């Protein structure tokens, strides 16, 4: 039950972060469907990369090696969130300096904002549930 609760809470919070970041930058780019689609594509690509990371780390490293690597990556994510929370209104909503210039294609800017705001957290938060659950008997 604890594993199921932790997995549900982890997934719920990650997808809430996806909505918060996307909704905060949507007005900057005029609220077009292309911005929302690009945002969802980036988050899904990050999720896929997280699954790939989880698979690679669980196949190639021992449990202790997995814990060490994951600890370092989560520490980096924490430091990034800490640094962003000092510069932005919150850790995952970008500041006004990230607003786009008028005219032009917003795709690159949307990708850059999402990767900086949520990339590390979205990429490295779920894998402990994915890679470490194989030995559990549920």
């Amino acid at each position: 039950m604890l594993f199921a609760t932790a997995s549900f809470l982890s997934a719920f919070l990650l997808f809430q972060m996806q909505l918060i970041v996307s909704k905060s930058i949507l007005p900057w780019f005029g609220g077009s469907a292309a911005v929302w689609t690009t945002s969802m594509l980036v988050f899904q690509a990050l999720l896929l990369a997280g699954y790939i990371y989880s698979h690679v780390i669980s196949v190639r490293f021992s449990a202790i090696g997995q814990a060490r690597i994951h600890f370092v990556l989560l520490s980096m994510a924490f430091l990034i969130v800490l640094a962003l929370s000092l510069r932005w209104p919150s850790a995952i909503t970008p500041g006004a300096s990230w607003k786009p210039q008028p005219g032009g294609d917003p795709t690159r800017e949307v990708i850059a904002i999402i990767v900086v705001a949520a990339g590390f957290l979205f990429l490295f938060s779920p894998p402990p549930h994915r890679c470490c659950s194989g030995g559990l008997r549920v």
Side-chain angles (χ1 to χ4, degrees):
M1 187 66 178
L2 180 63
F3 176 74
T5 304
S7 294
F8 174 78
L9 186 61
S10 174
F12 177 77
L13 292 174
L14 282 176
F15 287 110
Q16 288 302 312
M17 182 173 63
Q18 177 179 349
L19 293 173
I20 290 169
V21 172
S22 300
K23 286 174 110 178
S24 71
I25 66 171
L26 197 59
W28 292 358
F29 298 97
S32 70
V35 174
W36 190 256
T37 304
T38 302
S39 175
M40 295 301 112
L41 177 68
V42 171
F43 278 111
Q44 292 303 310
L46 286 169
L47 188 63
L48 177 64
Y51 278 110
I52 292 169
Y53 158 74
S54 176
H55 173 72
V56 168
I57 198 171
S58 65
V59 169
R60 301 209 178 199
F61 297 97
S62 66
I64 293 174
Q66 291 175 30
R68 287 179 182 158
I69 291 169
H70 199 68
F71 177 76
V72 168
L73 293 174
L74 278 179
S75 298
M76 288 172 47
F78 175 75
L79 291 175
I80 289 171
V81 167
L82 184 64
L84 291 177
S85 66
L86 296 174
R87 300 195 65 189
W88 289 355
S90 78
I92 61 171
T93 54
S97 64
W98 283 77
K99 284 187 178 181
Q101 301 298 326
D105 183 29
T107 306
R108 278 190 225 119
E109 293 172 355
V110 169
I111 292 171
I113 289 170
I114 292 172
V115 167
V116 170
F120 255 88
L121 286 176
F122 208 83
L123 185 61
F124 297 120
S125 291
H129 301 300
R130 288 188 233 137
C131 68
C132 302
S133 64
L136 291 178
R137 293 183 186 180
V138 180

